[in-house]
Amino acid sequence: MPKILLIDDEIRMLQLLTLYLELRGYTCISANSGEQGLELLQSTNVDLVLLDVMMPFFDGWETAKEIRKISQVPIIMLTARDTTTDMVKGLKIGADDYITKPFDEEVLLARIEAMLRRTNQNSRIEMHGLVWDESNHTLYFNNETIVLTPKEFNMVGLLMKNTKIVFSREKLVETVWGVDTNIDDRTIDSHIRNIREKLRKVGFPIDNHLKTVWGIGYKWE
């Protein structure tokens, strides 16, 4: 079931949204500040973020900017400010949709469902002849299948979905293996090495795309 991260400084709003969405089959986790939301996002995989704009200290604009540095998760911004300028600002920062308060709960639900449908359609990624197909759990280049382990497949998908974003080794461990694991940095390096070797064998120019960021981790270009 889809997991939604709710970020809002109003506890009552978090409670109402959680109750409404969980009754409709969603799993919700909540944060009452932008900082807490970012911490949760770095330790938990979520399918969508509902982000309030008007929060003290670290508002929704700043939170959205920071989210986009680490994730391409869909963001729907919630705000009482119904102006074109604010809507454009949110979309330019990286939000995917914008809903003004007060909103009809059924409209919010419909917007969430539409966003998740569009996201699910992106389960197939193609770049320079390399195709990562989540639905079939297959990676292939020029119609030649590349056999990967489940962890290698998930790692390639994560990097291809988030081009130009640098993932530390710690973040790769948390995202691919989970937070409660004893995997160390050497395991990540070993998986990256195996991925590169397998893609080189089929003729894909992996060194042009899977880059090492020395001292930090890896990114896809």
PDB file of all heavy atoms in Angstrom, residues 134-167:
ATOM      1  N   GLU A 134      10.768  -1.925 -14.080  1.00  0.00           N
ATOM      2  CA  GLU A 134      10.452  -2.396 -12.735  1.00  0.00           C
ATOM      3  C   GLU A 134       9.365  -3.453 -12.747  1.00  0.00           C
ATOM      4  O   GLU A 134       9.401  -4.417 -11.970  1.00  0.00           O
ATOM      5  CB  GLU A 134      10.028  -1.215 -11.866  1.00  0.00           C
ATOM      6  CG  GLU A 134       9.819  -1.567 -10.402  1.00  0.00           C
ATOM      7  CD  GLU A 134       9.573  -0.342  -9.555  1.00  0.00           C
ATOM      8  OE1 GLU A 134       9.116   0.681 -10.096  1.00  0.00           O
ATOM      9  OE2 GLU A 134       9.830  -0.405  -8.335  1.00  0.00           O
ATOM     10  N   SER A 135       8.373  -3.303 -13.625  1.00  0.00           N
ATOM     11  CA  SER A 135       7.251  -4.239 -13.633  1.00  0.00           C
ATOM     12  C   SER A 135       7.700  -5.659 -13.974  1.00  0.00           C
ATOM     13  O   SER A 135       7.159  -6.636 -13.452  1.00  0.00           O
ATOM     14  CB  SER A 135       6.173  -3.780 -14.616  1.00  0.00           C
ATOM     15  OG  SER A 135       6.696  -3.693 -15.939  1.00  0.00           O
ATOM     16  N   ASN A 136       8.690  -5.772 -14.853  1.00  0.00           N
ATOM     17  CA  ASN A 136       9.207  -7.090 -15.228  1.00  0.00           C
ATOM     18  C   ASN A 136      10.505  -7.436 -14.506  1.00  0.00           C
ATOM     19  O   ASN A 136      11.074  -8.506 -14.731  1.00  0.00           O
ATOM     20  CB  ASN A 136       9.462  -7.151 -16.740  1.00  0.00           C
ATOM     21  CG  ASN A 136       8.182  -7.053 -17.538  1.00  0.00           C
ATOM     22  OD1 ASN A 136       7.175  -7.645 -17.159  1.00  0.00           O
ATOM     23  ND2 ASN A 136       8.204  -6.300 -18.620  1.00  0.00           N
ATOM     24  N   HIS A 137      10.966  -6.514 -13.666  1.00  0.00           N
ATOM     25  CA  HIS A 137      12.227  -6.689 -12.934  1.00  0.00           C
ATOM     26  C   HIS A 137      13.357  -7.081 -13.885  1.00  0.00           C
ATOM     27  O   HIS A 137      14.079  -8.050 -13.674  1.00  0.00           O
ATOM     28  CB  HIS A 137      12.082  -7.743 -11.830  1.00  0.00           C
ATOM     29  CG  HIS A 137      12.998  -7.498 -10.667  1.00  0.00           C
ATOM     30  ND1 HIS A 137      14.283  -7.978 -10.625  1.00  0.00           N
ATOM     31  CD2 HIS A 137      12.836  -6.783  -9.535  1.00  0.00           C
ATOM     32  CE1 HIS A 137      14.864  -7.616  -9.496  1.00  0.00           C
ATOM     33  NE2 HIS A 137      13.994  -6.868  -8.819  1.00  0.00           N
ATOM     34  N   THR A 138      13.469  -6.268 -14.958  1.00  0.00           N
ATOM     35  CA  THR A 138      14.419  -6.580 -16.017  1.00  0.00           C
ATOM     36  C   THR A 138      15.214  -5.345 -16.409  1.00  0.00           C
ATOM     37  O   THR A 138      14.666  -4.248 -16.506  1.00  0.00           O
ATOM     38  CB  THR A 138      13.688  -7.112 -17.268  1.00  0.00           C
ATOM     39  OG1 THR A 138      12.913  -8.255 -16.907  1.00  0.00           O
ATOM     40  CG2 THR A 138      14.682  -7.511 -18.343  1.00  0.00           C
ATOM     41  N   LEU A 139      16.501  -5.542 -16.648  1.00  0.00           N
ATOM     42  CA  LEU A 139      17.361  -4.499 -17.202  1.00  0.00           C
ATOM     43  C   LEU A 139      17.919  -5.034 -18.507  1.00  0.00           C
ATOM     44  O   LEU A 139      18.425  -6.159 -18.561  1.00  0.00           O
ATOM     45  CB  LEU A 139      18.512  -4.173 -16.243  1.00  0.00           C
ATOM     46  CG  LEU A 139      19.466  -3.060 -16.701  1.00  0.00           C
ATOM     47  CD1 LEU A 139      18.808  -1.691 -16.572  1.00  0.00           C
ATOM     48  CD2 LEU A 139      20.759  -3.082 -15.870  1.00  0.00           C
ATOM     49  N   TYR A 140      17.796  -4.231 -19.576  1.00  0.00           N
ATOM     50  CA  TYR A 140      18.368  -4.694 -20.832  1.00  0.00           C
ATOM     51  C   TYR A 140      18.901  -3.529 -21.662  1.00  0.00           C
ATOM     52  O   TYR A 140      18.504  -2.383 -21.479  1.00  0.00           O
ATOM     53  CB  TYR A 140      17.373  -5.528 -21.644  1.00  0.00           C
ATOM     54  CG  TYR A 140      16.004  -4.922 -21.853  1.00  0.00           C
ATOM     55  CD1 TYR A 140      15.706  -4.181 -22.988  1.00  0.00           C
ATOM     56  CD2 TYR A 140      14.983  -5.116 -20.920  1.00  0.00           C
ATOM     57  CE1 TYR A 140      14.442  -3.646 -23.198  1.00  0.00           C
ATOM     58  CE2 TYR A 140      13.723  -4.591 -21.117  1.00  0.00           C
ATOM     59  CZ  TYR A 140      13.458  -3.856 -22.260  1.00  0.00           C
ATOM     60  OH  TYR A 140      12.205  -3.330 -22.463  1.00  0.00           O
ATOM     61  N   PHE A 141      19.818  -3.874 -22.548  1.00  0.00           N
ATOM     62  CA  PHE A 141      20.460  -2.888 -23.418  1.00  0.00           C
ATOM     63  C   PHE A 141      20.443  -3.432 -24.836  1.00  0.00           C
ATOM     64  O   PHE A 141      20.916  -4.539 -25.098  1.00  0.00           O
ATOM     65  CB  PHE A 141      21.898  -2.630 -22.963  1.00  0.00           C
ATOM     66  CG  PHE A 141      22.656  -1.679 -23.852  1.00  0.00           C
ATOM     67  CD1 PHE A 141      22.225  -0.362 -24.016  1.00  0.00           C
ATOM     68  CD2 PHE A 141      23.796  -2.094 -24.524  1.00  0.00           C
ATOM     69  CE1 PHE A 141      22.926   0.513 -24.838  1.00  0.00           C
ATOM     70  CE2 PHE A 141      24.497  -1.227 -25.340  1.00  0.00           C
ATOM     71  CZ  PHE A 141      24.064   0.085 -25.502  1.00  0.00           C
ATOM     72  N   ASN A 142      19.850  -2.625 -25.756  1.00  0.00           N
ATOM     73  CA  ASN A 142      19.705  -3.070 -27.150  1.00  0.00           C
ATOM     74  C   ASN A 142      19.080  -4.454 -27.221  1.00  0.00           C
ATOM     75  O   ASN A 142      19.536  -5.329 -27.961  1.00  0.00           O
ATOM     76  CB  ASN A 142      21.063  -3.048 -27.854  1.00  0.00           C
ATOM     77  CG  ASN A 142      21.549  -1.623 -28.087  1.00  0.00           C
ATOM     78  OD1 ASN A 142      20.770  -0.676 -28.051  1.00  0.00           O
ATOM     79  ND2 ASN A 142      22.846  -1.481 -28.297  1.00  0.00           N
ATOM     80  N   ASN A 143      18.027  -4.642 -26.401  1.00  0.00           N
ATOM     81  CA  ASN A 143      17.236  -5.881 -26.357  1.00  0.00           C
ATOM     82  C   ASN A 143      17.984  -7.072 -25.764  1.00  0.00           C
ATOM     83  O   ASN A 143      17.475  -8.201 -25.806  1.00  0.00           O
ATOM     84  CB  ASN A 143      16.722  -6.252 -27.755  1.00  0.00           C
ATOM     85  CG  ASN A 143      15.753  -5.216 -28.285  1.00  0.00           C
ATOM     86  OD1 ASN A 143      14.914  -4.700 -27.544  1.00  0.00           O
ATOM     87  ND2 ASN A 143      15.867  -4.899 -29.563  1.00  0.00           N
ATOM     88  N   GLU A 144      19.176  -6.835 -25.198  1.00  0.00           N
ATOM     89  CA  GLU A 144      19.902  -7.922 -24.534  1.00  0.00           C
ATOM     90  C   GLU A 144      19.722  -7.797 -23.028  1.00  0.00           C
ATOM     91  O   GLU A 144      20.032  -6.761 -22.436  1.00  0.00           O
ATOM     92  CB  GLU A 144      21.388  -7.876 -24.882  1.00  0.00           C
ATOM     93  CG  GLU A 144      22.183  -9.015 -24.245  1.00  0.00           C
ATOM     94  CD  GLU A 144      23.630  -9.061 -24.693  1.00  0.00           C
ATOM     95  OE1 GLU A 144      23.986  -8.307 -25.628  1.00  0.00           O
ATOM     96  OE2 GLU A 144      24.415  -9.839 -24.117  1.00  0.00           O
ATOM     97  N   THR A 145      19.209  -8.852 -22.409  1.00  0.00           N
ATOM     98  CA  THR A 145      18.936  -8.831 -20.977  1.00  0.00           C
ATOM     99  C   THR A 145      20.232  -8.878 -20.184  1.00  0.00           C
ATOM    100  O   THR A 145      21.156  -9.633 -20.499  1.00  0.00           O
ATOM    101  CB  THR A 145      18.048 -10.020 -20.578  1.00  0.00           C
ATOM    102  OG1 THR A 145      16.810  -9.943 -21.288  1.00  0.00           O
ATOM    103  CG2 THR A 145      17.761 -10.012 -19.083  1.00  0.00           C
ATOM    104  N   ILE A 146      20.296  -8.067 -19.139  1.00  0.00           N
ATOM    105  CA  ILE A 146      21.442  -8.030 -18.231  1.00  0.00           C
ATOM    106  C   ILE A 146      20.984  -8.633 -16.908  1.00  0.00           C
ATOM    107  O   ILE A 146      20.062  -8.118 -16.270  1.00  0.00           O
ATOM    108  CB  ILE A 146      21.928  -6.583 -18.017  1.00  0.00           C
ATOM    109  CG1 ILE A 146      22.285  -5.943 -19.365  1.00  0.00           C
ATOM    110  CG2 ILE A 146      23.122  -6.541 -17.067  1.00  0.00           C
ATOM    111  CD1 ILE A 146      22.328  -4.439 -19.336  1.00  0.00           C
ATOM    112  N   VAL A 147      21.598  -9.709 -16.513  1.00  0.00           N
ATOM    113  CA  VAL A 147      21.193 -10.412 -15.305  1.00  0.00           C
ATOM    114  C   VAL A 147      21.812  -9.736 -14.086  1.00  0.00           C
ATOM    115  O   VAL A 147      23.032  -9.673 -13.948  1.00  0.00           O
ATOM    116  CB  VAL A 147      21.608 -11.892 -15.357  1.00  0.00           C
ATOM    117  CG1 VAL A 147      21.197 -12.598 -14.060  1.00  0.00           C
ATOM    118  CG2 VAL A 147      20.983 -12.584 -16.563  1.00  0.00           C
ATOM    119  N   LEU A 148      20.954  -9.217 -13.211  1.00  0.00           N
ATOM    120  CA  LEU A 148      21.397  -8.560 -11.987  1.00  0.00           C
ATOM    121  C   LEU A 148      20.797  -9.248 -10.771  1.00  0.00           C
ATOM    122  O   LEU A 148      19.741  -9.864 -10.861  1.00  0.00           O
ATOM    123  CB  LEU A 148      20.957  -7.087 -11.974  1.00  0.00           C
ATOM    124  CG  LEU A 148      21.434  -6.166 -13.088  1.00  0.00           C
ATOM    125  CD1 LEU A 148      20.847  -4.772 -12.889  1.00  0.00           C
ATOM    126  CD2 LEU A 148      22.957  -6.087 -13.117  1.00  0.00           C
ATOM    127  N   THR A 149      21.467  -9.128  -9.646  1.00  0.00           N
ATOM    128  CA  THR A 149      20.861  -9.566  -8.398  1.00  0.00           C
ATOM    129  C   THR A 149      19.758  -8.565  -8.026  1.00  0.00           C
ATOM    130  O   THR A 149      19.739  -7.437  -8.532  1.00  0.00           O
ATOM    131  CB  THR A 149      21.894  -9.618  -7.263  1.00  0.00           C
ATOM    132  OG1 THR A 149      22.321  -8.285  -6.962  1.00  0.00           O
ATOM    133  CG2 THR A 149      23.103 -10.458  -7.658  1.00  0.00           C
ATOM    134  N   PRO A 150      18.828  -8.941  -7.141  1.00  0.00           N
ATOM    135  CA  PRO A 150      17.777  -7.989  -6.740  1.00  0.00           C
ATOM    136  C   PRO A 150      18.333  -6.676  -6.198  1.00  0.00           C
ATOM    137  O   PRO A 150      17.804  -5.600  -6.513  1.00  0.00           O
ATOM    138  CB  PRO A 150      16.997  -8.758  -5.671  1.00  0.00           C
ATOM    139  CG  PRO A 150      17.177 -10.197  -6.051  1.00  0.00           C
ATOM    140  CD  PRO A 150      18.587 -10.284  -6.578  1.00  0.00           C
ATOM    141  N   LYS A 151      19.393  -6.718  -5.396  1.00  0.00           N
ATOM    142  CA  LYS A 151      19.966  -5.493  -4.845  1.00  0.00           C
ATOM    143  C   LYS A 151      20.617  -4.648  -5.935  1.00  0.00           C
ATOM    144  O   LYS A 151      20.496  -3.413  -5.930  1.00  0.00           O
ATOM    145  CB  LYS A 151      20.986  -5.823  -3.759  1.00  0.00           C
ATOM    146  CG  LYS A 151      20.419  -6.573  -2.561  1.00  0.00           C
ATOM    147  CD  LYS A 151      19.306  -5.807  -1.867  1.00  0.00           C
ATOM    148  CE  LYS A 151      18.838  -6.531  -0.610  1.00  0.00           C
ATOM    149  NZ  LYS A 151      17.655  -5.891  -0.004  1.00  0.00           N
ATOM    150  N   GLU A 152      21.298  -5.295  -6.867  1.00  0.00           N
ATOM    151  CA  GLU A 152      21.895  -4.549  -7.980  1.00  0.00           C
ATOM    152  C   GLU A 152      20.820  -3.880  -8.819  1.00  0.00           C
ATOM    153  O   GLU A 152      20.967  -2.724  -9.227  1.00  0.00           O
ATOM    154  CB  GLU A 152      22.731  -5.504  -8.851  1.00  0.00           C
ATOM    155  CG  GLU A 152      23.997  -6.010  -8.185  1.00  0.00           C
ATOM    156  CD  GLU A 152      24.655  -7.146  -8.948  1.00  0.00           C
ATOM    157  OE1 GLU A 152      24.066  -7.611  -9.954  1.00  0.00           O
ATOM    158  OE2 GLU A 152      25.749  -7.587  -8.536  1.00  0.00           O
ATOM    159  N   PHE A 153      19.738  -4.605  -9.062  1.00  0.00           N
ATOM    160  CA  PHE A 153      18.638  -4.050  -9.858  1.00  0.00           C
ATOM    161  C   PHE A 153      18.031  -2.826  -9.165  1.00  0.00           C
ATOM    162  O   PHE A 153      17.789  -1.793  -9.793  1.00  0.00           O
ATOM    163  CB  PHE A 153      17.559  -5.121 -10.066  1.00  0.00           C
ATOM    164  CG  PHE A 153      16.389  -4.657 -10.879  1.00  0.00           C
ATOM    165  CD1 PHE A 153      16.455  -4.617 -12.265  1.00  0.00           C
ATOM    166  CD2 PHE A 153      15.214  -4.240 -10.261  1.00  0.00           C
ATOM    167  CE1 PHE A 153      15.375  -4.175 -13.028  1.00  0.00           C
ATOM    168  CE2 PHE A 153      14.129  -3.802 -11.010  1.00  0.00           C
ATOM    169  CZ  PHE A 153      14.214  -3.772 -12.396  1.00  0.00           C
ATOM    170  N   ASN A 154      17.785  -2.935  -7.863  1.00  0.00           N
ATOM    171  CA  ASN A 154      17.215  -1.820  -7.121  1.00  0.00           C
ATOM    172  C   ASN A 154      18.156  -0.624  -7.081  1.00  0.00           C
ATOM    173  O   ASN A 154      17.727   0.537  -7.154  1.00  0.00           O
ATOM    174  CB  ASN A 154      16.871  -2.255  -5.693  1.00  0.00           C
ATOM    175  CG  ASN A 154      15.709  -3.232  -5.642  1.00  0.00           C
ATOM    176  OD1 ASN A 154      14.919  -3.313  -6.575  1.00  0.00           O
ATOM    177  ND2 ASN A 154      15.610  -3.984  -4.563  1.00  0.00           N
ATOM    178  N   MET A 155      19.442  -0.887  -6.987  1.00  0.00           N
ATOM    179  CA  MET A 155      20.419   0.193  -6.945  1.00  0.00           C
ATOM    180  C   MET A 155      20.469   0.933  -8.276  1.00  0.00           C
ATOM    181  O   MET A 155      20.499   2.176  -8.309  1.00  0.00           O
ATOM    182  CB  MET A 155      21.808  -0.365  -6.584  1.00  0.00           C
ATOM    183  CG  MET A 155      22.795   0.701  -6.149  1.00  0.00           C
ATOM    184  SD  MET A 155      24.403   0.013  -5.699  1.00  0.00           S
ATOM    185  CE  MET A 155      23.937  -1.011  -4.305  1.00  0.00           C
ATOM    186  N   VAL A 156      20.456   0.189  -9.379  1.00  0.00           N
ATOM    187  CA  VAL A 156      20.447   0.824 -10.705  1.00  0.00           C
ATOM    188  C   VAL A 156      19.190   1.673 -10.871  1.00  0.00           C
ATOM    189  O   VAL A 156      19.246   2.809 -11.343  1.00  0.00           O
ATOM    190  CB  VAL A 156      20.528  -0.239 -11.822  1.00  0.00           C
ATOM    191  CG1 VAL A 156      20.274   0.403 -13.189  1.00  0.00           C
ATOM    192  CG2 VAL A 156      21.894  -0.907 -11.818  1.00  0.00           C
ATOM    193  N   GLY A 157      18.040   1.137 -10.466  1.00  0.00           N
ATOM    194  CA  GLY A 157      16.793   1.891 -10.580  1.00  0.00           C
ATOM    195  C   GLY A 157      16.813   3.163  -9.765  1.00  0.00           C
ATOM    196  O   GLY A 157      16.381   4.225 -10.231  1.00  0.00           O
ATOM    197  N   LEU A 158      17.317   3.080  -8.549  1.00  0.00           N
ATOM    198  CA  LEU A 158      17.393   4.260  -7.685  1.00  0.00           C
ATOM    199  C   LEU A 158      18.251   5.348  -8.315  1.00  0.00           C
ATOM    200  O   LEU A 158      17.869   6.527  -8.336  1.00  0.00           O
ATOM    201  CB  LEU A 158      17.969   3.862  -6.320  1.00  0.00           C
ATOM    202  CG  LEU A 158      18.176   4.995  -5.316  1.00  0.00           C
ATOM    203  CD1 LEU A 158      16.837   5.588  -4.891  1.00  0.00           C
ATOM    204  CD2 LEU A 158      18.946   4.484  -4.095  1.00  0.00           C
ATOM    205  N   LEU A 159      19.396   4.966  -8.851  1.00  0.00           N
ATOM    206  CA  LEU A 159      20.305   5.945  -9.454  1.00  0.00           C
ATOM    207  C   LEU A 159      19.728   6.524 -10.741  1.00  0.00           C
ATOM    208  O   LEU A 159      19.812   7.732 -10.986  1.00  0.00           O
ATOM    209  CB  LEU A 159      21.662   5.297  -9.715  1.00  0.00           C
ATOM    210  CG  LEU A 159      22.456   4.928  -8.457  1.00  0.00           C
ATOM    211  CD1 LEU A 159      23.622   3.999  -8.811  1.00  0.00           C
ATOM    212  CD2 LEU A 159      22.979   6.165  -7.749  1.00  0.00           C
ATOM    213  N   MET A 160      19.109   5.675 -11.578  1.00  0.00           N
ATOM    214  CA  MET A 160      18.545   6.159 -12.836  1.00  0.00           C
ATOM    215  C   MET A 160      17.331   7.064 -12.607  1.00  0.00           C
ATOM    216  O   MET A 160      17.088   7.987 -13.388  1.00  0.00           O
ATOM    217  CB  MET A 160      18.164   4.978 -13.736  1.00  0.00           C
ATOM    218  CG  MET A 160      19.353   4.217 -14.297  1.00  0.00           C
ATOM    219  SD  MET A 160      18.864   2.823 -15.373  1.00  0.00           S
ATOM    220  CE  MET A 160      18.221   3.708 -16.807  1.00  0.00           C
ATOM    221  N   LYS A 161      16.570   6.814 -11.552  1.00  0.00           N
ATOM    222  CA  LYS A 161      15.411   7.654 -11.244  1.00  0.00           C
ATOM    223  C   LYS A 161      15.825   9.019 -10.718  1.00  0.00           C
ATOM    224  O   LYS A 161      15.041   9.966 -10.769  1.00  0.00           O
ATOM    225  CB  LYS A 161      14.525   6.969 -10.194  1.00  0.00           C
ATOM    226  CG  LYS A 161      13.726   5.789 -10.696  1.00  0.00           C
ATOM    227  CD  LYS A 161      12.925   5.196  -9.542  1.00  0.00           C
ATOM    228  CE  LYS A 161      12.112   3.987  -9.989  1.00  0.00           C
ATOM    229  NZ  LYS A 161      11.376   3.384  -8.849  1.00  0.00           N
ATOM    230  N   ASN A 162      17.030   9.101 -10.177  1.00  0.00           N
ATOM    231  CA  ASN A 162      17.474  10.328  -9.507  1.00  0.00           C
ATOM    232  C   ASN A 162      18.777  10.823 -10.125  1.00  0.00           C
ATOM    233  O   ASN A 162      19.801  10.939  -9.453  1.00  0.00           O
ATOM    234  CB  ASN A 162      17.654  10.065  -8.011  1.00  0.00           C
ATOM    235  CG  ASN A 162      16.367   9.669  -7.336  1.00  0.00           C
ATOM    236  OD1 ASN A 162      15.548  10.505  -6.990  1.00  0.00           O
ATOM    237  ND2 ASN A 162      16.172   8.365  -7.146  1.00  0.00           N
ATOM    238  N   THR A 163      18.743  11.086 -11.430  1.00  0.00           N
ATOM    239  CA  THR A 163      19.951  11.508 -12.131  1.00  0.00           C
ATOM    240  C   THR A 163      20.537  12.772 -11.516  1.00  0.00           C
ATOM    241  O   THR A 163      19.816  13.675 -11.106  1.00  0.00           O
ATOM    242  CB  THR A 163      19.663  11.757 -13.620  1.00  0.00           C
ATOM    243  OG1 THR A 163      18.625  12.722 -13.741  1.00  0.00           O
ATOM    244  CG2 THR A 163      19.233  10.466 -14.310  1.00  0.00           C
ATOM    245  N   LYS A 164      21.872  12.797 -11.455  1.00  0.00           N
ATOM    246  CA  LYS A 164      22.675  13.927 -10.960  1.00  0.00           C
ATOM    247  C   LYS A 164      22.614  14.126  -9.459  1.00  0.00           C
ATOM    248  O   LYS A 164      23.259  15.020  -8.926  1.00  0.00           O
ATOM    249  CB  LYS A 164      22.298  15.231 -11.668  1.00  0.00           C
ATOM    250  CG  LYS A 164      22.456  15.147 -13.172  1.00  0.00           C
ATOM    251  CD  LYS A 164      22.271  16.488 -13.839  1.00  0.00           C
ATOM    252  CE  LYS A 164      22.361  16.276 -15.331  1.00  0.00           C
ATOM    253  NZ  LYS A 164      22.878  17.326 -16.098  1.00  0.00           N
ATOM    254  N   ILE A 165      21.847  13.284  -8.761  1.00  0.00           N
ATOM    255  CA  ILE A 165      21.823  13.352  -7.300  1.00  0.00           C
ATOM    256  C   ILE A 165      22.877  12.397  -6.753  1.00  0.00           C
ATOM    257  O   ILE A 165      22.927  11.227  -7.130  1.00  0.00           O
ATOM    258  CB  ILE A 165      20.440  12.993  -6.748  1.00  0.00           C
ATOM    259  CG1 ILE A 165      19.418  14.068  -7.152  1.00  0.00           C
ATOM    260  CG2 ILE A 165      20.475  12.845  -5.236  1.00  0.00           C
ATOM    261  CD1 ILE A 165      18.008  13.776  -6.712  1.00  0.00           C
ATOM    262  N   VAL A 166      23.730  12.907  -5.882  1.00  0.00           N
ATOM    263  CA  VAL A 166      24.793  12.095  -5.300  1.00  0.00           C
ATOM    264  C   VAL A 166      24.237  11.316  -4.110  1.00  0.00           C
ATOM    265  O   VAL A 166      23.658  11.903  -3.194  1.00  0.00           O
ATOM    266  CB  VAL A 166      25.976  12.969  -4.849  1.00  0.00           C
ATOM    267  CG1 VAL A 166      27.065  12.106  -4.218  1.00  0.00           C
ATOM    268  CG2 VAL A 166      26.540  13.762  -6.019  1.00  0.00           C
ATOM    269  N   PHE A 167      24.409   9.993  -4.143  1.00  0.00           N
ATOM    270  CA  PHE A 167      23.997   9.142  -3.038  1.00  0.00           C
ATOM    271  C   PHE A 167      25.234   8.694  -2.277  1.00  0.00           C
ATOM    272  O   PHE A 167      26.147   8.097  -2.850  1.00  0.00           O
ATOM    273  CB  PHE A 167      23.244   7.905  -3.545  1.00  0.00           C
ATOM    274  CG  PHE A 167      21.837   8.192  -3.987  1.00  0.00           C
ATOM    275  CD1 PHE A 167      21.582   8.649  -5.276  1.00  0.00           C
ATOM    276  CD2 PHE A 167      20.773   8.024  -3.121  1.00  0.00           C
ATOM    277  CE1 PHE A 167      20.287   8.917  -5.691  1.00  0.00           C
ATOM    278  CE2 PHE A 167      19.468   8.290  -3.524  1.00  0.00           C
ATOM    279  CZ  PHE A 167      19.226   8.736  -4.809  1.00  0.00           C
TER     280      PHE A 167
END
